[in-house]
Amino acid sequence: MEKTRIIGNNVSIPVIGYGTFKIDNATVENLVLSALDVGYTHLDTATAYGNELGIGYALDRMHLKREDLFLTTKIANDDQGYKETLRAFERSMASLNVEYLDLVLIHWPNPKSAETWRALEELYEAGKIRAIGVSNFHKQHLDKLLETAKIKPMINQLEHHPFNTQKEMADYCEHLGIPVQAWSPLAKGEIFKNDLLKEIAKKHGVGISQVVMRWQIQSGWLVVVKASTPERMRENLNVYDFELSVEEMDAIDALDTGLRTGSNPDDFEF
């Protein structure tokens, strides 16, 4: 399995990224540095997470060159709209203390998403963002956006784990040529309670999270995953030295119950 994938205009993105949801500014700096130390080269944040400033401090101290790091952020609902997005982008750049961003997503579908996308297209064409995409967009949201978009989204980030496989959405995105990326890949810890996943992990001599991360990437998904200790960070990243069988993949797929650990984009209130 490749550790990077090409999206959009020949942009290489690490398959596994470090997620920073619900990590505050006071905590995120050292956690990001730990993640980079154990081998992550992709960081995922969002304006709504309230930790871009702390991540910026970490980037000032990191051992990597900026060009060796893939950095993602997202436009919050309160910042949607053309002018609002341009202002939000500049605030994120200042907080993160970088000269460009690798990927910027619309965090949630919104009545102003067409204007938000127009601003992102402009920033992309100006070379200030290397790739642009969306998050939590279902079929109707993508269809609506594509009515006016000049550039097709280069990623759709969705909740994805064994209890919510999003197969129809993944198939639709594949049809459109839009790679899918998983958030909440470990279902907020629910995976650790499942007997089937325990059994597969024991068989391969790996952790349960490694089984699920391997299932994610064998299913064709990019992934962002959060962990709070170096040991967990390493475990979630080290999934390239074993392979799940077709039967194991099918058994994990069959765990799907439609469970959501976050909001449903169809019901999300702006």
Side-chain angles (χ1 to χ4, degrees):
M1 298 292 292
E2 295 294 330
K3 295 185 179 181
T4 61
R5 192 174 305 169
I6 300 299
I7 61 170
N9 186 22
N10 204 33
V11 172
S12 177
I13 179 173
V15 170
I16 300 176
Y18 182 68
T20 62
F21 177 57
K22 287 194 173 179
I23 306 177
D24 61 27
N25 265 321
T27 309
V28 75
E29 180 178 354
N30 286 331
L31 285 177
V32 163
L33 289 171
S34 293
L36 297 177
D37 283 344
V38 304
Y40 289 85
T41 56
H42 176 190
L43 300 176
D44 178 276
T45 185
T47 301
Y49 299 170
N51 59 20
E52 289 178 325
L53 191 62
I55 291 174
Y57 292 148
L59 300 187
D60 287 341
R61 297 171 55 197
M62 70 177 180
H63 64 277
L64 293 176
K65 296 178 180 178
R66 172 64 185 93
E67 58 267 29
D68 294 329
L69 176 73
F70 193 97
L71 184 58
T72 299
T73 195
K74 309 176 190 78
I75 303 298
N77 285 324
D78 290 345
D79 293 325
Q80 292 222 39
Y82 177 75
K83 291 181 179 179
E84 295 90 341
T85 295
L86 294 178
R87 287 194 292 265
F89 172 79
E90 293 300 332
R91 287 197 303 270
S92 290
M93 291 273 281
S95 295
L96 292 163
N97 194 24
V98 293
E99 296 181 354
Y100 68 92
L101 286 163
D102 297 284
L103 176 64
V104 178
L105 309 176
I106 300 178
H107 206 156
W108 291 90
N110 180 290
K112 297 180 181 179
S113 288
E115 287 302 294
T116 301
W117 191 251
R118 183 164 69 90
L120 292 182
E121 288 177 329
E122 184 177 294
L123 292 166
Y124 170 77
E125 290 174 339
K128 296 182 178 181
I129 309 172
R130 297 177 66 225
I132 54 178
V134 296
S135 178
N136 301 302
F137 272 52
H138 282 175
K139 182 179 184 298
Q140 68 271 24
H141 307 128
L142 285 172
D143 289 345
K144 182 68 175 175
L145 188 71
L146 290 172
E147 289 177 4
T148 56
K150 294 189 299 178
I151 299 170
K152 184 169 58 177
M154 300 169 188
I155 269 185
N156 188 10
Q157 191 180 100
L158 299 161
E159 178 173 353
H160 180 252
H161 46 74
F163 313 120
N164 192 345
T165 63
Q166 298 264 26
K167 186 175 185 330
E168 288 186 8
M169 269 311 304
D171 289 345
Y172 190 63
C173 287
E174 182 179 2
H175 167 72
L176 294 175
I178 300 174
V180 284
Q181 185 178 52
W183 61 261
S184 194
L186 309 183
K188 291 187 176 177
E190 289 298 312
I191 63 165
F192 299 106
K193 305 173 186 177
N194 185 268
D195 289 337
L196 172 69
L197 297 175
K198 291 177 184 177
E199 179 183 327
I200 295 174
K202 184 177 180 181
K203 176 183 174 183
H204 288 276
V206 298
I208 294 172
S209 67
Q210 289 173 292
V211 167
V212 172
M213 292 294 291
R214 182 71 198 191
W215 168 79
Q216 296 271 7
I217 62 175
Q218 279 190 221
S219 298
W221 287 68
L222 302 160
V223 195
V224 292
V225 61
K226 186 176 78 172
S228 56
T229 67
E231 292 75 23
R232 286 291 189 188
M233 292 174 187
R234 287 190 188 92
E235 185 172 299
N236 294 337
L237 195 59
N238 294 333
V239 296
Y240 291 97
D241 57 357
F242 71 99
E243 184 174 357
L244 300 174
S245 68
V246 172
E247 292 76 19
E248 288 168 334
M249 292 289 292
D250 289 344
I252 296 173
D253 286 344
L255 296 175
D256 185 14
T257 61
L259 172 73
R260 287 194 177 273
T261 66
S263 299
N264 186 334
D266 294 335
D267 303 325
F268 193 80
E269 294 185 6
F270 304 103

